[in-house]
Amino acid sequence: MRGRAWREMGRGLALATLGAMTLGLSPPAHAADVWLAAVDPVVRAAHKWDAGADYMDLFRPDAAWPNVAKQTRVFKIGPGFASQGREEDLKQVFAELQRRHIALALEIGMLSVSEHCHEKTEAYGEPGLVERVLSRIKRLGGDLAYIAMDEPFYYGHQYAGPDACKLSATQLAQDVAPNVAVAKRIFPGIRIGDVEVVYDAGDFLDATKGWVDAYAKATGDRLAFLHADESWSPQATQHLVSLAGFLKSRQVRFGVIYNAGPAASGDTQWTQAAIRHADQVETELGLRPDDALFQTWEPFPSRLLPESASGTLTSVALHYLKPRTRLSLRRDGVRLSGRLVDEQGIPVAHATIALGSIGDVDTAAMVRQSITGKVPANASAGVLALRANRELNCTACTGAVAASIGEPGYREGGGPQRLFPPARIDVAAAQGLATNSSRFPVTAGATFDFEARLAVRTLAERAASAGIIFVDTAGHEVQRRMIRLVTTEAPLGSATTAADGSFAFALPPAVASRALQGFSASYDGNDHVRGARAVVR
């Protein structure tokens, strides 16, 4: 689901607790436990990402994250590092965490391959793996406080790969229980929680709630936490509200992994997106997670330190540790207005507020999106494909879709770009669209880029897509790489807050007259306070 670097080898860091600040700032009204997690030396080496890596520098007494380290409660490592990392490195990690009073967590697949499931995903390992990894941690001096199960329900129940087992929540809970018992035997005080995918499928969200209850019944103990691995689409983010309420009713801690999602292509882009996602969850949605995790399984950000430099993982945590702000937004005809205040209600003056339109399908509101990959080895041609309410992977994903698609382009390597004519999609939920361009030649094994400018309004996130379908010499489909057409947000302009924190923005007449799904206001924060986001629909 994540496309993470450590799919086979495991994952690494997680941030922990917010407490009294050492930054000269007031602590947040609600103190989340911050977990930190990054790509460790074993995984970086396997993926040839070693250039610029500074993972082990975190575990020096003089490491350049003094403020974040003092507020960090839990640090999480992955199974690759725990099982294959150098002993001297692991001993250094464990000793420094204990010196700093930071708890140790391990994220690992807690399902074992068995006679009724031979799945080869990160949620599954060979029999005995959990015991061997935990025993090594203990032998090297690690005091393991937490296990974060690596998406057992998603991979055991929802995953649709060639070796998928599609087991029930009850069966999966029974399959996990033996390794839970092993963990409690080796580390008697250990607390075991779960990391699970949260994406736009409402049926899977409902099934996940059943999994939480099934786990408690099979193991005799409720999950210590459930941390959401968000896909960061509009509907997926809204699902966090329902999930948080359910977990509270079950007395299970709720956490969110704040990262960039799959589209980041550099350190700055990754860190800015992670900060925006934290602001979105905690200001736009008004949620207060119990645990806030800052975690990457991608090559970005390439550096973890120092906390004072933009573009590093610890700088994202440092920003999060600042006091929150609150942003309001309302629409009155052709005017947007609102107010920005801090947690004590004190106005934030002279702040720049960025305004955006949501679901505007005018060509002026287009945003650029792209996908990159390799042409399949048996592909000889490709076609530009547009789909709406057709060829879906789920039966409940149809919906009304309106979209403008501006000159899609396909390029291989550094070659010329093949451009296609602009297109328009406008279908009701009961209608469908499935069109292909004429075939064009492709080079098997070549790196390709597909990009398009999109302006989308949709009532179902998985209802429509645009992309490339690769075919073989007989014209049979080999692979498709598609961009899902989710509701887009286009910039409108900005406003500056007055002395009382208020702002106003006059909508352009053409925008005010169009049928939109809403408007957004965003504040990026400053050296003293966090950012905020608000939406009016």
Side-chain angles (χ1 to χ4, degrees), residues 122-246:
E122 62 206 65
Y124 283 83
E126 69 270 19
L129 175 65
V130 171
E131 183 170 13
R132 289 196 300 274
V133 172
L134 268 60
S135 296
R136 188 178 194 233
I137 290 173
K138 187 169 186 177
R139 177 174 62 83
L140 296 177
D143 183 12
L144 191 62
Y146 298 95
I147 283 180
M149 298 187 292
D150 196 347
E151 300 180 352
F153 189 62
Y154 174 79
Y155 282 105
H157 175 78
Q158 191 80 355
Y159 172 69
D163 55 354
C165 297
K166 296 284 188 177
L167 301 176
S168 68
T170 298
Q171 181 65 66
L172 286 167
Q174 292 171 353
D175 288 353
V176 159
N179 279 330
V180 169
V182 167
K184 291 181 176 180
R185 173 173 54 81
I186 299 174
F187 291 99
I190 200 163
R191 285 159 284 183
I192 298 175
D194 191 14
V195 177
E196 287 295 343
V197 170
V198 176
Y199 67 115
D200 56 7
D203 55 349
F204 179 63
L205 177 69
D206 292 339
T208 301
K209 296 175 182 178
W211 153 251
V212 171
D213 290 338
Y215 175 90
K217 183 177 180 180
T219 64
D221 192 12
R222 62 176 176 263
L223 290 170
F225 55 81
L226 193 146
H227 293 159
D229 176 10
E230 256 288 333
S231 66
W232 300 118
S233 71
Q235 185 59 49
T237 306
Q238 289 292 327
H239 283 332
L240 292 176
V241 177
S242 173
L243 180 61
F246 169 78

Side-chain angles (χ1 to χ4, degrees), residues 398-412:
T398 58
V401 180
S404 298
I405 304 170
E407 290 194 333
Y410 176 89
R411 185 196 309 271
E412 291 182 356

Side-chain angles (χ1 to χ4, degrees), residues 348-417:
V348 180
H350 312 299
T352 299
I353 308 298
L355 288 307
S357 62
I358 301 172
D360 190 347
V361 296
D362 189 80
T363 55
M366 287 180 170
V367 295
R368 188 172 300 277
Q369 296 188 33
S370 63
I371 50 177
T372 300
K374 285 195 174 182
V375 178
N378 54 342
S380 64
V383 298
L384 170 67
L386 302 179
R387 298 291 187 269
N389 297 329
R390 292 290 184 270
E391 302 172 18
L392 303 172
N393 290 327
C394 72
T395 57
C397 298
T398 58
V401 180
S404 298
I405 304 170
E407 290 194 333
Y410 176 89
R411 185 196 309 271
E412 291 182 356
Q417 188 174 50

Side-chain angles (χ1 to χ4, degrees), residues 19 115 161 166-167 188 193 264 272 282 297 420 433 460 492 520:
E115 291 184 357
K166 296 284 188 177
L167 301 176
Q272 290 177 347
E282 301 189 19
W297 41 83
F420 302 89
L433 174 72
L492 284 176
S520 66

Side-chain angles (χ1 to χ4, degrees), residues 44 266-267 270-271 296 298-304 311-314 316:
R44 295 195 69 88
D267 290 353
W270 193 101
T271 53
T296 178
E298 303 293 341
F300 310 115
S302 60
R303 296 194 65 82
L304 312 181
T312 68
L313 185 64
T314 52
V316 180

